[in-house]
Amino acid sequence: MGPIYHDPALSGRRGVFLDREDAGRACAELLRHHPELVDGALCGPIPSGGVAVAVPIAREFLLPVALLVARKVQVPGNTEFGMGAVAWDGRVILDRPLVSALGIGPDAIDVQVHRARASVAERLERFLGGRPLPVLQGRRVLVVDDGLAGGSTALVVIEALRAAGAGPLVTVVPTGHDRTVARVAEVSDAVVCPNIRGGDGFAVAEAYRAWRDLTGDEVAALLDGLAADGLF
């Protein structure tokens, strides 16, 4: 289990970040105290929200950006609730206890996995245009997202990175549920999470004073800005 780095002044609180950019700066501040975590690293945001968090991190440490495309497998009829995730290499993880508790059958799972894979393919084409990921073998990677709720997306990304020979892997998220942070730390070499909260009914959005989903055009514009800086 990797160490967990957090900010005691922010832990347990809601509304601690203005937006994702502000949250990224808070993550960068913690990373400044642990330079060994960023030495020689790729900055690997998970779109969409992770890209906005990653921008100030990549610029602070002049890290090359490698987009890590993954999508949650949605619970049927609920676009906000995930029961698993799909990574860019096609691998799938499912939250089996949740699937069982909700009584979701295999046909419904197959439909949702197919939709998630189609979304991954669309994002790969839109944001990378067929361009391959950088060589990951032996590379330190910062896995960046805007928060950890259930954790499936981060977990499938970490699994895909391990399969590609990447490592060490540092999960960097502004906010996360304490149990999920601990679970992700079990498969990460370190976790950086300024705002850790517990309790029931955790929502990533509650850490932000201004929260909304990013559009594909906004993500593309952020990536264009990083490309102009020579980082993507």
Side-chain angles (χ1 to χ4, degrees), residues 5-231:
Y5 302 104
H6 71 289
D7 185 342
L10 300 182
S11 293
R13 296 172 53 196
R14 294 176 172 83
V16 294
F17 309 119
L18 172 59
D19 54 18
R20 291 179 178 90
E21 182 180 358
D22 181 44
R25 288 192 293 266
C27 292
E29 179 62 31
L30 265 183
L31 286 166
R32 284 189 204 103
H33 296 289
H34 302 282
E36 72 281 1
L37 299 181
V38 298
D39 184 32
L42 291 170
C43 185
I46 303 172
S48 295
V51 176
V53 175
V55 167
I57 297 171
R59 286 179 171 154
E60 170 72 22
F61 300 104
L62 299 178
L63 301 179
V65 172
L67 202 65
L68 306 177
V69 179
R71 290 291 277 168
K72 67 185 174 185
V73 177
Q74 296 172 351
V75 169
N78 189 330
T79 60
E80 298 301 319
F81 196 20
M83 60 178 176
V86 174
W88 67 90
D89 65 352
R91 73 182 58 240
V92 181
I93 63 169
L94 293 173
D95 186 336
R96 292 293 180 183
L98 177 62
V99 168
S100 178
L102 295 176
I104 302 171
D107 290 344
I109 292 171
D110 287 345
V111 168
Q112 297 302 322
V113 168
H114 176 76
R115 289 176 178 171
R117 282 189 166 134
S119 180
V120 166
E122 187 274 332
R123 287 184 168 203
L124 286 170
E125 179 58 33
R126 175 162 194 185
F127 300 137
L128 295 179
R131 180 175 58 178
L133 284 173
V135 174
L136 297 169
Q137 179 74 37
R139 290 298 301 270
R140 181 187 303 274
V141 180
L142 307 185
V143 178
V144 183
D145 207 351
D146 54 15
L148 285 176
S152 292
T153 305
L155 290 169
V156 79
V157 165
I158 291 167
E159 188 175 296
L161 288 169
R162 295 286 188 201
L169 304 181
V170 180
T171 302
V172 181
V173 288
T175 185
H177 192 281
D178 54 4
R179 290 193 298 270
T180 306
V181 170
R183 183 181 175 199
V184 171
E186 291 177 357
V187 295
S188 302
D189 294 285
V191 174
V192 173
C193 183
N195 172 246
I196 298 177
R197 291 179 280 131
D200 297 325
F202 176 91
V204 168
E206 291 180 344
Y208 297 85
R209 300 192 294 280
W211 172 267
R212 62 180 178 81
D213 292 336
L214 296 181
T215 67
D217 287 345
E218 288 172 318
V219 173
L222 290 170
L223 294 173
D224 286 345
L226 289 169
D229 295 336
L231 300 175

